[in-house]
């Protein structure tokens, strides 16, 4: 399975598909969080991300959705608010994400949840309003509306995973994770570069089994380099939520082996391994 193009006549429908899955994933996490609003112990329970409790995880999602909406509006010509965010980030490039997440999460639970709901809706509206083919600024390369929605899905799914682990809840895999898997495949070159390693030229065939049992594929069928296994395990690896040794992924070839060692689909410097932040 490959993702359709994100420019041209079909771009709007692809964006709607990703936004629909993003809202479904967000709603599933919100349903788990609402009962914690009156449980200070649960709301402040530490998660696998060092220094972040459940409230910080939600605060981070809220802040990032807010900022992504500003970036979308900057692409549409209203750049003042986005420029202010970039200026603040330049003042503390190593700590601004942590600071923003901690500040956004340091509020009553009901307020944080309400702000996140508003931020999600605001971002979806801003992305839908972007003209086709428009690329929006970000802290890395500029992104299309669909790419941003996919990135927001990846982060939402990843932080929902951290929250579930903090609460001792069982995973609930759905085929919505295809967006995370796709991003993981697309960022193979970035992962090597982020680790200071040359990007191999060899193509890699990826064959994953979805939670539904469907088969998802990327890359040439005749590629010698191959990665196979459960899609859920692949998503845990590319978001660095699990070490390779804990996953049922099979790499064939030296490039595929090396890729699974450095796999990373989130922006920024190399993560610290299991529990690293997206």
């Amino acid at each position: 399975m490959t993702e359709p193009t994100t420019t041209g006549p079909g771009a709007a429908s692809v964006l709607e598909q990703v936004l629909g899955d993003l809202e479904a994933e967000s709603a599933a996490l919100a349903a788990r969080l609402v009962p914690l609003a009156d449980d200070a112990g649960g709301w402040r329970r530490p998660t696998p991300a060092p220094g972040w409790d459940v409230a910080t995880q939600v605060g981070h999602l809220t802040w990032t959705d807010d900022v992504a909406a500003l970036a979308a509006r900057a692409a549409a010509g209203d750049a003042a608010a986005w420029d202010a965010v970039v200026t603040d980030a330049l003042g503390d490039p190593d700590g601004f994400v942590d600071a923003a997440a901690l500040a956004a999460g340091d509020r009553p639970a009901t307020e944080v949840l309400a702000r996140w709901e508003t931020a999600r809706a605001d971002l979806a509206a801003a992305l839908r309003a972007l003209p086709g083919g428009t690329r929006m600024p970000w802290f890395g390369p500029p992104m299309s509306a669909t790419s941003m929605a996919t990135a927001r899905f990846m982060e939402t799914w990843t932080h929902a995973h951290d929250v579930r682990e903090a609460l001792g809840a069982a995973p609930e895999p759905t085929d919505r994770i295809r967006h995370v898997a796709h991003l993981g495949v697309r960022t193979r070159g970035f992962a090597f570069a982020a680790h200071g390693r040359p990007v191999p030229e060899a193509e890699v065939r990826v064959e994953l089994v979805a939670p539904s049992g469907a088969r998802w594929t990327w890359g040439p069928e005749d590629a010698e380099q191959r990665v196979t296994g459960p899609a859920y395990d692949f998503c845990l690896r590319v978001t660095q939520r699990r070490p390779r040794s804990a996953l049922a992924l099979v790499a064939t070839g030296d490039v595929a082996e090396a890729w699974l060692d450095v796999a990373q689909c989130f922006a920024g410097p190399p993560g610290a391994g299991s529990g690293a932040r997206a």
Side-chain angles (χ1 to χ4, degrees):
M1 171 183 173
T2 56
E3 293 286 328
T5 179
T6 56
T7 59
S13 62
V14 176
L15 174 62
E16 287 302 323
Q17 177 189 357
V18 181
L19 287 176
D21 285 346
L22 172 58
E23 180 51 32
E25 197 70 24
S26 300
L29 175 56
R32 187 172 298 281
L33 291 169
V34 168
L36 295 182
D38 296 323
D39 177 8
W43 189 243
R44 293 296 172 184
R45 187 172 299 179
T47 70
W52 284 22
D53 56 19
V54 170
T56 307
Q57 296 273 1
V58 185
H60 174 66
L61 291 175
T62 302
W63 178 83
T64 313
D65 285 348
D66 274 337
V67 171
L70 296 180
R73 294 195 179 95
D78 183 7
W82 164 253
D83 290 345
V85 170
V86 173
T87 299
D88 288 344
L90 290 174
D92 184 15
D94 295 326
F96 79 97
V97 171
D98 270 335
L102 290 166
D106 191 23
R107 299 170 182 269
T110 52
E111 181 179 341
V112 176
L113 290 170
R115 290 186 65 200
W116 180 40
E117 183 176 7
T118 299
R120 301 198 313 262
D122 194 31
L123 173 60
L127 293 178
R128 287 186 173 108
L130 276 181
T134 303
R135 303 190 73 80
M136 53 193 288
W138 197 238
F139 299 104
M143 305 172 73
S144 68
T146 300
S147 293
M148 175 57 75
T150 303
R152 296 309 307 131
F153 181 93
M154 179 274 294
E155 273 213 283
T156 302
W157 179 83
T158 303
H159 292 296
H161 171 81
D162 289 349
V163 169
R164 282 197 305 272
E165 293 227 312
L167 301 177
E172 299 174 350
T174 74
D175 278 12
R176 293 192 296 267
I177 63 171
R178 69 188 181 277
H179 303 302
V180 182
H182 181 68
L183 194 58
V185 172
R186 291 287 299 273
T187 54
R188 177 166 58 90
F190 162 77
F192 279 99
H195 285 77
R197 301 172 65 170
V199 179
E201 294 183 2
E203 296 280 3
V204 179
R205 173 72 167 182
V206 179
E207 298 181 355
L208 304 176
V209 179
S212 66
R215 181 171 169 265
W216 298 340
T217 65
W218 294 260
E221 289 188 32
D222 60 352
E224 294 183 0
Q225 306 291 325
R226 308 178 79 84
V227 170
T228 60
Y232 185 73
D233 284 19
F234 182 77
C235 293
L236 290 175
R237 184 67 203 126
V238 298
T239 57
Q240 296 191 352
R241 262 48 195 180
R242 288 291 187 273
R244 282 190 63 186
S245 59
L247 302 171
L249 296 173
V250 177
T252 302
D254 55 351
V255 172
E257 285 280 358
W259 176 27
L260 289 186
D261 285 340
V262 301
Q264 172 178 328
C265 68
F266 51 88
S274 180
R277 296 173 192 153

